[in-house]
């Protein structure tokens, strides 16, 4: 049976079973595990959260599944990263969900980027020239805890709008989250402070917000442009730059081939670190706090190896 007919039958069955008491948990669907983690922080047991992209998958290129359409069909709220991160896979799923509540522009569609600080905003005409997958600024903004707070507030406000009687609950969860994150961020900043200005190279442009917050200096990328695989000439130029600037760290997202990064590492003596930019990127990263715990610890351990002891 074709996927479409399976989905159609399932949707028909679900319409019989969709009557729920008003107090049932709000059904929240998020495109990424990071947004899911933030929704759980502020929603607590009053939300049921499902996320599509796993933390070890490239969020630009997610393989659509029939189960995604079913989740969207019964969702009260869809939260997306925005900035066209999901443009390659989400729009057809929303359309096929037959759920008017979560269409872009509806109350049940939340673009999480709207209040976030966005880096690498384009100047002049916006194009996808040469396959650039970041045409509207950098969409990996959740890698700064300050943006995590902004997104959490957006979600808490949206949940309060849906469930006015639970507003105090959501706002208290937000207050608790902010306090916990403030304390954690203070610790992360202190740990990273000795390495301020450390030059690094990253595979994809997933880490500009992280680098800006924690004082790293990204001097190059393994990809010639976001979404474009490495080319021999670009790699040679990058190696030359890394040697000139004495770059000893290469950060690679878990979903990229390590062949080119490893050859760059051999040529330059740099440490190649597989650094997850998302919750669930490795099994230890079970929430938004552990994402920074893990990545910062990974970086600090590598700095010890390259001899930059402080
Ligand atoms: Zn990207």
């Amino acid at each position: 049976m074709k996927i479409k007919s399976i989905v159609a039958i399932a949707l028909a069955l679900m319409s019989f079973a969709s009557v729920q008491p008003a107090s049932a948990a709000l059904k929240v669907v998020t495109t990424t595990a990071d947004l899911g983690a933030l929704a759980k922080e502020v929603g607590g047991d009053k939300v049921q959260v499902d996320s599509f992209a796993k933390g070890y998958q490239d969020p630009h290129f997610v393989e659509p599944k029939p189960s995604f359409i079913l989740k969207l069909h019964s969702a009260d709220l869809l939260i997306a990263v925005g900035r066209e991160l999901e443009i390659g896979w989400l729009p057809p799923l929303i359309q096929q969900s037959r759920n008017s509540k979560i269409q872009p522009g509806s109350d049940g569609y939340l673009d999480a980027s709207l209040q976030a600080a966005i880096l690498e905003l384009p100047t002049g005409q916006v194009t996808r020239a040469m396959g650039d997958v970041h045409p509207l600024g950098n969409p990996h903004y959740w890698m700064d805890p300050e943006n995590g707070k902004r997104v959490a507030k957006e979600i808490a406000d949206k949940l309060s709008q849906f469930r006015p009687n639970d507003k105090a609950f959501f706002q208290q969860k937000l207050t608790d989250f902010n306090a916990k994150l403030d304390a954690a961020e203070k610790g992360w900043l202190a740990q990273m402070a000795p390495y301020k200005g450390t030059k690094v190279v990253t595979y994809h442009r997933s880490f500009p917000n992280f680098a800006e917050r924690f004082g790293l200096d990204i001097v190059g990328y393994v990809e010639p442009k976001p979404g474009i695989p490495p080319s021999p000439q670009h790699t040679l130029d990058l190696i030359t730059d890394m040697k000139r600037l004495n770059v000893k760290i290469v950060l690679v997202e878990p979903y990229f081939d390590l062949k080119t990064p490893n050859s760059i590492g051999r040529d330059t003596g740099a440490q190649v670190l597989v650094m997850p930019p998302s919750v669930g990127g490795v099994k230890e990263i079970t929430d938004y706090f552990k994402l920074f715990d893990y990545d910062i610890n990974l970086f600090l351990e590598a700095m010890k190896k390259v001899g930059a002891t402080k």
Side-chain angles (χ1 to χ4, degrees):
M1 208 184 312
K2 288 221 170 82
I3 281 180
K4 267 199 173 167
S5 35
I6 295 170
V7 169
I9 291 167
L11 292 183
L13 289 172
M14 287 169 74
S15 62
F16 287 108
S18 62
V19 181
Q20 287 180 350
S23 59
L26 271 170
K27 288 186 177 172
V28 178
V29 171
T30 69
T31 57
T32 65
D34 310 285
L35 294 177
L38 293 170
K40 284 175 196 161
E41 293 286 349
V42 295
D45 58 5
K46 296 190 187 296
V47 296
Q48 179 203 314
V49 181
D50 285 293
S51 303
F52 291 159
K54 303 292 180 198
Y56 50 82
Q57 293 176 318
D58 186 340
H60 287 285
F61 305 100
V62 175
E63 193 186 342
K65 293 182 192 166
S67 63
F68 292 175
I69 300 172
L70 299 179
K71 293 290 184 196
L72 287 173
H73 177 70
S74 57
D76 297 305
L77 172 63
L78 167 62
I79 309 174
V81 172
R83 300 283 153 175
E84 297 199 347
L85 178 80
E86 303 99 337
I87 198 163
W89 55 277
L90 186 63
L93 295 178
I94 295 177
Q95 206 197 348
Q96 288 166 44
S97 74
R98 304 188 200 171
N99 181 352
S100 60
K101 289 187 292 185
I102 55 146
Q103 303 295 316
S106 311
D107 272 351
Y109 179 92
L110 178 61
D111 177 339
S113 75
L114 294 179
Q115 300 300 322
I118 305 297
L119 301 175
E120 301 172 356
L121 283 166
T123 50
Q125 202 189 353
V126 172
T127 73
R128 287 184 159 252
M130 295 175 67
D132 187 342
V133 294
H134 293 173
L136 300 182
N138 193 290
H140 303 275
Y141 55 83
W142 65 86
M143 285 302 290
D144 174 358
E146 291 301 314
N147 273 341
K149 282 188 219 168
R150 294 178 185 115
V151 173
K153 181 179 188 311
E154 289 288 293
I155 297 174
D157 289 348
K158 180 57 80 174
L159 296 176
S160 303
Q161 181 191 326
F162 275 97
R163 292 282 163 85
N165 291 340
D166 291 326
K167 185 176 176 181
F169 173 85
F170 296 130
Q171 297 303 322
Q172 185 59 51
K173 293 289 279 181
L174 177 66
T175 303
D176 295 347
F177 171 71
N178 285 339
K180 192 178 161 196
L181 192 56
D182 279 339
E185 190 181 330
K186 218 172 149 185
W188 297 324
L189 287 168
Q191 284 179 293
M192 292 295 284
Y195 304 102
K196 198 172 168 58
T198 300
K199 291 180 169 55
V200 302
V201 159
T202 76
Y203 194 107
H204 180 75
R205 293 183 182 237
S206 303
F207 299 102
N209 293 84
F210 180 85
E212 184 174 270
R213 178 61 52 201
F214 295 110
L216 302 181
D217 182 10
I218 302 174
V219 298
Y221 306 93
V222 179
E223 287 180 332
K225 269 178 178 286
I228 302 297
S231 66
Q233 186 58 52
H234 176 76
T235 301
L236 284 177
D237 293 344
L238 183 65
I239 288 170
T240 307
D241 287 348
M242 285 176 67
K243 285 178 176 167
R244 179 169 53 82
L245 297 167
N246 197 27
V247 180
K248 292 296 174 206
I249 298 282
V250 181
L251 306 178
V252 183
E253 297 83 347
Y255 32 83
F256 291 115
D257 190 353
L258 282 167
K259 193 171 155 241
T260 303
N262 282 340
S263 82
I264 293 170
R266 278 193 299 273
D267 232 342
T268 60
Q271 294 280 315
V272 176
L273 309 182
V274 177
M275 184 178 274
S278 279
V279 172
V282 292
K283 66 177 190 310
E284 299 97 300
I285 307 179
T286 51
D287 64 26
Y288 190 66
F289 296 90
K290 294 199 174 85
L291 173 60
F292 296 98
D293 283 342
Y294 183 93
D295 285 357
I296 286 172
N297 185 58
L298 188 73
F299 174 81
L300 296 176
E301 289 301 314
M303 291 309 285
K304 281 183 203 162
K305 276 189 202 159
V306 300
T309 45
K310 296 270 171 174

